[in-house]
Amino acid sequence: MFKHIIILIATVVVSAFAHHLNGAPHVASARLKGGDVDGNITFTQLDDNKVRVQGTIIGLTPGQYGFHVHEKGDLSNGCASTGAHYNPENQPHGHPDDKERHVGDLGNVEFDANNIATIDFVDSVLSLEGDHNIIGRAVVLHERADDFGRTNHPDSRKTGNAGGRVACGVIGIQSGV
Ligand code: CU
Ligand code: ZN
């Protein structure tokens, strides 16, 4: 019995230490702001190389709005200085489920009749570590729906033709460093 407890404690200590050595942040978050829009988005690294994206945003009329991770966490000129969609693999713009997409392509968020968007999905391309690390970059909400690169508009395969940037925020480490 006593031996088992010792082993259990040793296992917990070793795994906690191993994780610490690994240095992987577990949770990141961003405060999304712009005009009347205000929100908070949390990114949680799951064990199976996926990231759960959760949050609430208020302030837009009912409908779909493009939602991306942009390459820079630079708000010196507002959302305009966050650069293009985060695209380390040099792919065309797409739908989150497409094979060809920007790492930052998170599709649309939907605002309801109370002007609230409730977000909860899992993405298998984003990461809080390694080659697709989004920490220090920005989340951006747009004025229109993202068309996922599926229309003939000249911006469709670049930005989803989602229009101007309504709100944004820098993604920072929240816990698990
Ligand atoms: Cu965008
Ligand atoms: Zn894109």
Side-chain angles (χ1 to χ4, degrees):
M1 177 64 183
F2 188 65
K3 208 171 174 184
H4 285 162
I5 290 169
I6 295 292
I7 290 167
L8 182 67
I9 290 169
T11 307
V12 168
V13 168
V14 166
S15 59
F17 186 65
H19 205 141
H20 196 79
L21 276 181
N22 194 2
H26 267 156
V27 184
S29 64
R31 177 88 185 264
L32 197 75
K33 293 204 83 166
D36 293 333
V37 176
D38 195 347
N40 204 74
I41 312 292
T42 298
F43 301 88
T44 306
Q45 183 78 55
L46 305 177
D47 287 342
D48 48 357
N49 287 323
K50 292 175 176 159
V51 170
R52 185 171 183 183
V53 184
Q54 293 166 284
T56 305
I57 312 173
I58 59 165
L60 293 179
T61 53
Q64 307 268 338
Y65 299 88
F67 185 62
H68 315 126
V69 174
H70 285 223
E71 60 187 345
K72 296 173 196 162
D74 176 6
L75 304 187
S76 58
N77 191 25
C79 303
S81 41
T82 60
H85 296 188
Y86 178 43
N87 184 22
E89 306 285 353
N90 241 322
Q91 295 291 315
H93 178 79
H95 183 278
D97 294 334
D98 288 348
K99 228 179 158 161
E100 291 192 338
R101 58 170 265 194
H102 301 142
V103 169
D105 290 347
L106 300 183
N108 289 308
V109 297
E110 182 168 7
F111 280 75
D112 67 15
N114 297 315
N115 298 355
I116 298 170
T118 306
I119 297 163
D120 191 355
F121 61 89
V122 173
D123 189 89
S124 54
V125 176
L126 289 185
S127 184
L128 302 187
E129 58 196 47
D131 292 343
H132 293 177
N133 193 343
I134 60 167
I135 290 170
R137 306 185 188 283
V139 272
V140 178
L141 184 67
H142 288 265
E143 64 178 351
R144 286 198 297 269
D146 186 320
D147 71 9
F148 311 129
R150 291 174 186 166
T151 69
N152 290 324
H153 192 280
D155 291 337
S156 182
R157 297 282 275 171
K158 296 178 199 154
T159 65
N161 191 27
R165 302 170 183 192
V166 168
C168 54
V170 177
I171 302 163
I173 294 166
Q174 186 178 91
S175 69
V177 188

